[in-house]
């Protein structure tokens, strides 16, 4: 029999837990009190210096011999000294309140002269204390804090010359060049600016961050998500972290725990910085092309907190398209022993083609990205009520209606705009009204998205206009969708395609609409008759992409004509967590080398089936904790999350619905995680497992993702053919590690190429109830089950070749006796990243 605790007992237990939590949350400082007396007479001793060992935190006893110290910067022991007495030392329990009474013994010997000399790098003792005090100086130590943040972001076109200004494409809006700034290094033209004003809140236990954006002003881009992306939460970098993730790369912080392994340090000076005596230390990388900084910092001599730091990416760092990167940060002591970032400045110089200055008259145009942030009105260790932190959204838009007016910004921005910054808003708004400028924007958009906007219609994707395969021959396609000029809540789409060999017309129509934008509820319907490649990964080129035709290594003769009707409803409950309910009806027709053969009666040949009909209802659940996005009207691009992304797919077949033939149940779970591993690069892991219950033909089972192109597919087995392995239960694991030049950077000649190493391992184990499957449909030659253990392939590759190319050597380790397969293959991939 199970006895339930009474409500009174529960109250006591919960109260005890709450009290313990409060004690733990407040136990951030070390408080020591006590009395110093003469060990021989017991008399109190005044003016005795009591301080922490290896620290400047100390106190002096009063006339009654009493002393008191409370600090975040405690070490593990204290020391008391007074003229005529022997030094006294005692151990300390850090982060606790305690009483230590001290009895000093009179000295019995005369002190001799002592000469102190130091050998070694004088910066190291300061650096050692700085690293030791990082947990204390890091703002994450606090029980809670909040502050007002002001962010200003600007993008500029740089290397503006007179020849550039005279180009014909700028004829209709040459007035913009009146705003070119020629001060500093490269002449630049501001083209975009945004301002954001927000309140940032932090609570330690449970750890929660929340940014409430009250005002945003954007010139140049009309995208609601830009406001949240430009806020403080997405842009801030904490120098006290060991590794700083910038451009997706792990840069080693100059004050990392093991910084001396990667940096050389030099003590340059000591002086007053404001009201603080500080040490000036410079730093630079030990090795060329490591992801590290060069610069200098000022360190406070008592708290060993960083007062200010200026750093740039070291020349030769293994980083693409970034010609320069500069960061300046200032910290202030907002209350005793609490240091907070008060100002943050960032400058990035981006060039697709490196400007080496070989032709001063025709320099390469690039972009400046600038960010200036300031922080004020700090509140320390006063958390908001629990209800304030409820919900999973880190960034909340609570726009003040007054922020739409200029007076709001004149009153609330932390610093006045310069005269040039004031003109940026007017200049960009004027440019957007010029037809030729809109044409250039549409061309750039077409290149990046695949769609060309013509009024209320987006035509595309252009890369599907022509393709070819053995079944259709030459395939021609035209399609489009409504643009945001038509509606930002509704979208219609349609396409048509024709193959010259099969003489068949294919088409698709559909639409989607926002039921609610606030909670992101989307209703979508569609119908299509078109060809599909069953068994390809979600990451593969679509079959009507011209690149899929060009890069094929075997003829594409296993296509399926699919007639599909579908309807779905998506609901996002909070950022990163959503459900999608899907209902679809599909009819599958085999084409090319595919056949649907059902076993005939005993002794009779198999019966050919022309098509399969199936109806299915599915529920997809996706959870990506604290995922960040940049959103368009309907689609959005994930900026990732440091936490695992979990997906669960549940589906059931609906027999006898509109001639559907099969009833079944299906469960698939998928977990994705990207891990930043500091100096060792980064890793991504994809794990998946699934099961299908029911008597089904092979097209409705798990067709493990193969790849029959020369293009490397991250989410497929690149030495496996389509339809080669079929299962009704399986588990697979993909592990990919990018070393980011860890080894190549140490080879003198090779490191100039900026190549980077990557290794991959992929495996899948599964099984198939062959008797139940064969009862429904015979497997064709070249189709197998995983009855002899897992399928495994590994690869080793080099990426960042010419900044855009990756080459992998792939080894197939199992099932090497199958026809039409290779033990080793070379695969290529276009990969553009920093």
């Amino acid at each position: 029999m199970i006895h339930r605790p009474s409500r009174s007992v529960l109250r006591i237990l919960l109260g005890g837990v709450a009290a313990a939590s409060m004690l733990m949350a407040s136990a951030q400082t070390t408080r020591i009190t006590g009395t110093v007396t003469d060990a021989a007479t017991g008399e109190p001793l005044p003016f005795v210096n009591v301080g922490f060992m290896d620290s400047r935190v100390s106190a002096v006893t009063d006339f009654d011999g009493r002393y008191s110290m409370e600090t975040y910067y405690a070490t593990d022991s204290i020391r008391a000294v007074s003229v005529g007495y022997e030094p006294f030392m005692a151990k300390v329990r850090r982060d606790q309140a305690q009483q230590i009474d001290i009895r000093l013994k009179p000295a019995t010997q005369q002190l001799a002269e002592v000469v102190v000399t130091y050998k070694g790098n004088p910066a190291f003792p300061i650096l050692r204390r700085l690293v030791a005090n990082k947990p204390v100086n890091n703002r994450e130590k606090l029980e809670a804090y909040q502050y007002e943040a002001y962010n200003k972001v600007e993008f500029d076109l740089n290397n503006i010359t007179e020849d550039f200004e005279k180009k014909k494409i700028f004829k209709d809006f040459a007035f913009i060049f009146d705003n070119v700034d020629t001060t500093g290094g490269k002449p630049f033209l501001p083209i975009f600016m945004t301002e954001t004003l927000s309140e940032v809140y932090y609570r330690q236990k449970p750890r929660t961050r929340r940014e409430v954006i009250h005002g945003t002003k954007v010139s140049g881009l009309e995208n609601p998500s830009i406001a949240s992306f430009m806020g403080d939460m997405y842009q801030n970098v904490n120098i006290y972290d060991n590794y700083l993730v910038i451009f997706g790369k792990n840069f080693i912080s100059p004050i990392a725990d093991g910084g001396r392994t990667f940096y050389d340090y030099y003590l340059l000076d000591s002086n007053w910085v404001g009201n603080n005596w500080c040490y000036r230390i410079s730093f630079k990388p030990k090795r060329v092309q490591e992801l590290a900084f060069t610069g200098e910092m000022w360190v406070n001599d008592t708290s060993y907190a960083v007062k200010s730091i200026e750093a740039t990416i070291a020349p030769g760092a293994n980083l693409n398209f970034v010609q320069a990167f500069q960061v300046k940060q200032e910290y202030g002591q907002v209350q005793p022993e609490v240091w907070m970032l008060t100002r943050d400045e960032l400058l990035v110089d981006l060039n697709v083609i490196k400007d080496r200055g070989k032709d001063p008259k025709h320099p390469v145009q690039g972009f400046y990205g600038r960010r200036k942030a300031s922080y004020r009105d700090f509140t320390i260790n006063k958390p908001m009520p629990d209800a304030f932190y409820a919900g999973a959204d880190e960034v909340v838009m609570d726009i003040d209606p007054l922020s739409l007016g200029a007076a709001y910004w004149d009153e609330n921005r932390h610093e006045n705009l310069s005269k040039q910054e004031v003109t940026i808003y007017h200049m960009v708004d004027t440019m957007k009204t010029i037809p030729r400028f809109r044409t250039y924007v549409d061309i750039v958009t077409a290149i990046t998205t695949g769609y060309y906007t013509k009024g209320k219609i987006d035509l595309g994707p252009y890369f599907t206009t022509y393709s070819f395969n053995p079944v259709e021959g030459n395939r021609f396609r035209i399609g489009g969708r409504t643009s945001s000029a038509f509606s930002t809540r509704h979208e219609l789409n349609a396409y048509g395609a024709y193959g010259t060999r099969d003489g068949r017309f294919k088409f698709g129509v559909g639409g989607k609409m926002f039921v609610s934008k606030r909670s992101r509820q989307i209703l979508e319907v569609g119908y299509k008759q078109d060809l599909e490649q069953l068994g390809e990964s979600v990451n593969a080129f679509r079959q009507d992409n011209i690149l899929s035709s060009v890069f094929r290594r075997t003829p594409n003769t296993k296509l399926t004509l699919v007639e599909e009707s579908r309807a779905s409803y998506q609901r996002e409950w909070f950022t990163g967590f959503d459900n999608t309910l899907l209902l679809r009806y599909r009819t599958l027709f085999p084409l090319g080398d595919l056949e649907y053969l059902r076993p005939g009666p005993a002794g009779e040949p198999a019966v050919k089936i022309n098509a399969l009909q199936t109806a299915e209802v599915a529920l997809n659940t996706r959870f990506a904790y604290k995922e960040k996005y940049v959103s368009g009207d309907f689609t959005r691009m994930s900026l990732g999350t440091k936490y695992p992304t979990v997906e669960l797919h549940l589906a059931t077949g609906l027999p006898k619905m509109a001639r559907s033939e099969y009833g079944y149940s299906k469960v698939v779970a998928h977990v994705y995680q990207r891990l930043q591993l500091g100096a060792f690069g980064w890793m991504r892991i994809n794990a998946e497992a699934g099961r299908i219950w029911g008597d089904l033909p092979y097209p409705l089972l798990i067709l493990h993702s193969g790849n029959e192109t020369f293009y490397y597919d991250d989410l497929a087995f690149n030495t496996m053919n389509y339809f080669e392995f079929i299962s009704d239960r399986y588990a697979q694991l993909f592990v990919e590690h990018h070393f980011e030049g860890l080894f190549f950077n140490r080879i003198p000649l090779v490191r100039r190429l900026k190549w980077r190493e990557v290794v991959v391992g992929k495996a899948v184990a599964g099984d198939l109830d062959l008797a139940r499957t064969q009862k429904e449909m015979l497997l064709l030659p070249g189709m197998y089950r995983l009855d002899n253990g897992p399928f495994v392939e590994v690869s080793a590759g080099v990426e960042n070749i010419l900044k855009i190319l990756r080459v992998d050597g792939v080894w197939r380790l199992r099932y090497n006796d199958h026809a039409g397969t290779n033990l080793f293959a070379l695969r290529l991939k276009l990969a553009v990243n920093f």
Side-chain angles (χ1 to χ4, degrees):
M1 180 177 180
I2 299 176
H3 296 278
R4 298 178 181 270
S6 68
R7 291 189 178 181
S8 60
V9 173
L10 286 173
R11 290 194 190 101
I12 294 172
L13 290 174
L14 293 174
V17 171
S21 299
M22 292 177 63
L23 286 172
M24 292 175 64
S26 61
Q28 298 295 323
T29 61
T30 302
R31 178 175 172 80
I32 301 177
T33 59
T35 304
V36 181
T37 58
D38 187 304
T41 66
E43 294 182 357
L45 297 178
F47 310 120
V48 177
N49 185 279
V50 183
F52 288 95
M53 296 286 290
D54 200 22
S55 170
R56 289 181 177 269
V57 178
S58 63
V60 177
T61 59
D62 61 15
F63 286 103
D64 296 321
R66 291 190 295 265
Y67 74 95
S68 176
M69 294 185 295
E70 183 173 4
T71 182
Y72 285 109
Y73 303 102
T75 60
D76 60 0
S77 57
I78 60 172
R79 185 171 186 262
V81 294
S82 182
V83 176
Y85 291 88
E86 293 181 0
F88 173 90
M89 288 182 289
K91 290 290 185 182
V92 170
R93 299 187 305 276
R94 279 189 273 198
D95 298 333
Q96 295 184 31
Q98 57 212 279
Q99 179 174 329
I100 301 178
D101 293 325
I102 300 171
R103 300 177 66 198
L104 294 183
K105 297 179 181 180
T108 58
Q109 294 182 350
Q110 186 71 26
L111 294 177
E113 179 183 2
V114 177
V115 178
V116 179
T117 60
Y118 178 78
K119 294 182 179 179
N121 189 331
F124 287 170
I126 301 169
L127 186 68
R128 177 171 54 82
R129 295 186 181 101
L130 189 160
V131 171
N133 283 324
K134 275 172 54 178
V136 179
N137 290 319
N138 192 341
R139 62 186 181 181
E140 307 298 310
K141 74 176 182 200
L142 299 170
E143 178 188 354
Y145 61 75
Q146 70 185 68
Y147 56 82
E148 183 182 87
Y150 169 73
N151 283 271
K152 180 170 60 181
V153 177
E154 177 184 325
F155 288 99
D156 312 316
L157 183 66
N158 62 31
N159 270 336
I160 303 298
T161 63
E162 291 186 9
D163 290 342
F164 182 82
E165 296 177 20
K166 294 177 182 178
K167 290 183 178 181
K168 290 183 179 180
I169 64 172
F170 299 118
K171 181 179 179 181
D172 291 345
F173 38 94
F175 68 91
I176 66 174
F177 296 111
D178 295 337
N179 297 287
V180 171
D181 191 326
T182 57
T183 61
K186 303 176 182 178
F188 63 89
L189 173 68
I191 57 175
F192 164 77
M193 190 171 77
T194 180
E195 296 176 273
T196 304
L197 192 69
S198 61
E199 290 280 346
V200 178
Y201 302 84
Y202 168 82
R203 177 183 64 179
Q204 187 189 85
K205 294 181 180 180
R207 178 163 294 184
T208 311
R209 291 180 176 86
R210 177 68 42 83
E211 180 177 16
V212 181
I213 295 180
H214 296 302
T216 179
K217 188 175 183 180
V218 181
S219 178
L221 290 177
E222 298 174 357
N223 188 319
S225 69
I226 291 296
S228 59
F229 179 67
M230 294 303 179
D232 187 69
M233 195 71 73
Y234 290 179
Q235 304 295 318
N236 214 332
V237 173
N238 189 349
I239 194 70
Y240 285 97
D241 292 336
N242 287 328
Y243 292 93
L244 311 178
V245 181
I246 303 173
F247 305 113
K249 308 298 181 184
N250 296 314
F251 282 81
I252 303 145
S253 171
I255 60 173
D257 292 349
R260 288 171 58 178
T261 305
F262 304 95
Y263 287 96
D264 289 323
Y265 297 91
Y266 306 92
L267 178 60
L268 303 180
D269 192 8
S270 59
N271 209 333
W272 289 100
V273 180
N275 296 324
N276 305 106
W277 185 261
C278 298
Y279 302 109
R280 181 184 172 199
I281 297 176
S282 70
F283 48 87
K284 68 176 185 178
K286 284 182 176 290
R287 290 170 289 274
V288 179
Q289 291 190 319
E290 247 172 6
L291 296 179
F293 300 93
T294 181
E296 61 181 45
M297 57 186 166
W298 288 89
V299 181
N300 179 244
D301 76 326
T302 302
S303 64
Y304 293 96
V306 174
K307 172 63 177 173
S308 66
I309 185 169
E310 295 187 18
T312 62
I313 290 179
N318 194 338
L319 193 66
N320 297 329
F321 315 125
V322 179
Q323 291 234 106
F325 177 93
Q326 301 174 8
V327 60
K328 297 180 181 179
Q329 291 189 337
E330 296 178 7
Y331 294 80
Q333 194 169 200
V334 298
Q335 70 178 45
E337 297 192 345
V338 176
W339 292 79
M340 298 289 287
L341 180 65
T342 57
R343 188 170 183 84
D344 192 3
E345 297 184 16
L346 182 70
L347 171 65
V348 183
D349 184 0
L350 298 172
N351 280 85
V352 176
I353 302 174
K354 188 169 184 179
D355 181 12
R356 302 181 184 274
K358 293 182 179 180
D359 187 356
K361 294 184 178 180
H362 300 90
V364 179
Q365 273 69 48
F367 290 92
Y368 281 142
R370 305 171 188 269
R371 174 179 178 262
K372 293 182 179 180
S374 58
Y375 311 101
R376 68 186 186 189
D377 300 337
F378 293 91
T379 302
I380 305 300
N381 291 338
K382 294 181 180 179
M384 300 291 286
D386 290 345
F388 175 83
Y389 300 100
D393 291 334
E394 279 197 333
V395 180
V396 178
M397 302 294 292
D398 184 18
I399 300 298
D400 187 335
L402 297 177
S403 67
L404 301 176
Y408 174 90
W409 293 99
D410 291 340
E411 180 181 350
N412 290 283
R413 63 167 58 95
H414 291 190
E415 58 183 26
N416 294 328
L417 297 180
S418 66
K419 182 178 179 180
Q420 184 187 45
E421 289 171 335
V422 172
T423 64
I424 294 176
Y425 287 118
H426 175 72
M427 179 192 72
V428 175
D429 291 341
T430 303
M431 280 198 303
K432 290 191 295 186
T433 65
I434 300 174
R436 179 172 290 189
F437 176 79
R438 292 301 313 171
T439 300
Y440 295 152
V441 171
D442 291 342
I443 292 174
V444 173
T445 302
I447 294 173
T448 55
T449 67
Y451 286 89
Y452 179 77
T453 300
K454 189 69 175 177
K456 297 182 178 181
I457 301 296
D458 291 338
L459 298 174
Y462 62 82
F463 48 77
T464 64
T465 303
Y466 172 75
S467 59
F468 56 89
N469 61 71
V471 174
E472 295 180 284
N474 296 306
R475 174 185 167 108
F476 299 92
R477 182 189 186 278
I478 185 170
R481 65 190 183 192
T482 56
S483 69
S484 57
F486 172 81
S487 174
T488 58
R489 298 187 64 90
H490 304 82
E491 179 185 286
L492 303 176
N493 60 78
Y495 74 90
Y498 181 79
T500 58
R501 176 170 296 176
D502 65 356
R504 180 178 284 145
F505 179 74
K506 299 93 179 174
F507 70 96
V509 294
K512 51 188 172 182
M513 62 173 287
F514 274 106
V515 179
S516 170
K517 284 197 171 186
R518 184 174 181 84
S519 57
R520 192 172 176 83
Q521 300 180 56
I522 300 176
L523 181 64
E524 184 173 0
V525 295
Y527 176 82
K528 74 170 185 178
Q529 291 184 16
D530 206 350
L531 271 59
E532 285 187 14
Q533 175 63 70
L534 302 183
E536 70 178 3
S537 80
V538 296
N539 196 52
F541 284 132
R542 50 190 292 174
Q543 287 305 306
D544 55 1
N545 189 324
I546 183 61
L547 295 178
S548 177
S549 302
V550 171
F551 283 103
R552 288 202 63 82
R553 58 182 174 86
T554 58
N556 193 3
T557 59
K558 302 173 185 176
L559 294 171
T560 301
L561 177 64
V562 178
E563 180 181 353
E564 178 182 86
S565 303
R566 61 183 291 147
S568 67
Y569 169 74
Q570 181 187 18
R571 168 66 185 264
E572 183 176 64
W573 303 96
F574 54 82
T575 302
F577 181 69
D578 64 73
N579 288 121
T580 302
L581 182 64
L582 169 68
L583 176 64
R584 66 177 182 174
Y585 179 83
R586 287 162 62 93
T587 303
L588 309 181
F589 301 90
L591 298 177
D593 293 341
L594 286 183
E595 286 186 305
Y596 295 166
L597 300 175
R598 181 169 291 166
E604 295 187 15
V607 178
K608 188 173 183 179
I609 304 172
N610 293 326
L612 297 175
Q613 289 88 22
T614 176
E616 177 183 88
V617 60
L619 177 66
N620 297 317
T621 302
R622 184 177 184 276
F623 180 51
Y625 184 56
K626 295 187 178 180
E627 187 173 31
K628 299 175 177 65
Y629 304 94
V630 173
S631 299
D633 291 327
F634 282 94
T635 60
R636 59 185 182 181
M637 179 180 67
S638 172
L639 300 177
T641 173
K642 64 180 180 180
Y643 301 97
T645 298
V646 181
E647 297 182 66
L648 179 65
H649 173 77
L650 306 175
T652 183
L654 303 175
K656 300 181 181 179
M657 176 181 173
R659 295 183 298 171
S660 174
E661 304 174 65
Y662 303 99
Y664 58 89
S665 297
K666 181 178 181 180
V667 177
V668 176
H670 179 263
V671 179
Y672 168 80
Q673 171 83 85
R674 173 170 171 146
L675 301 172
Q676 300 290 150
L677 300 176
F680 296 98
W682 60 275
M683 176 187 294
R684 61 182 171 196
I685 301 171
N686 281 279
E688 185 174 292
R691 176 72 189 267
I692 295 180
W693 293 268
D695 298 338
L696 295 175
Y698 70 80
L700 303 183
L701 293 170
I702 304 297
L703 305 175
H704 295 294
S705 299
N707 180 16
E708 295 186 3
T709 72
F710 291 108
Y711 195 87
Y712 187 87
D713 189 339
D714 295 326
L715 299 181
F717 293 95
N718 290 278
T719 56
M720 182 188 293
N721 294 325
Y722 294 135
F723 292 97
E724 184 176 356
F725 290 101
I726 301 172
S727 299
D728 57 22
R729 73 211 78 164
Y730 75 103
Q732 68 182 30
L733 179 66
F734 293 2
V735 179
E736 181 174 332
H737 187 87
H738 297 253
F739 288 99
E740 297 287 70
L742 178 66
F743 305 110
F744 288 156
N745 287 347
R746 286 162 171 75
I747 304 175
L749 295 179
V750 176
R751 69 186 179 198
R752 297 177 63 87
L753 301 173
K754 295 189 176 181
W755 288 356
R756 303 166 186 167
E757 318 84 348
V758 57
V759 295
V760 184
K762 301 179 179 180
V764 57
D767 203 357
L768 174 66
D769 191 330
L770 194 58
R772 297 178 68 178
T773 300
Q774 294 277 46
K775 181 178 67 174
E776 296 295 329
M777 184 175 291
L778 298 176
L779 297 185
L780 299 181
M783 297 181 181
Y784 306 92
R785 62 175 182 159
L786 291 162
D787 58 348
N788 192 30
F791 177 90
V792 181
E793 72 175 24
V794 297
S795 64
V798 178
E799 57 185 347
N800 206 44
I801 301 173
L802 303 177
K803 298 184 179 180
I804 60 171
L805 188 63
R806 169 177 162 180
V807 179
D808 284 77
V810 188
W811 288 266
R812 177 174 169 137
L813 303 184
R814 304 291 307 281
Y815 298 96
N816 295 331
D817 56 339
H818 290 187
T821 62
N822 297 305
L823 305 184
F824 175 77
L826 283 176
R827 296 289 181 263
L828 307 177
K829 181 181 179 180
L830 294 176
V832 180
N833 55 56
F834 288 103

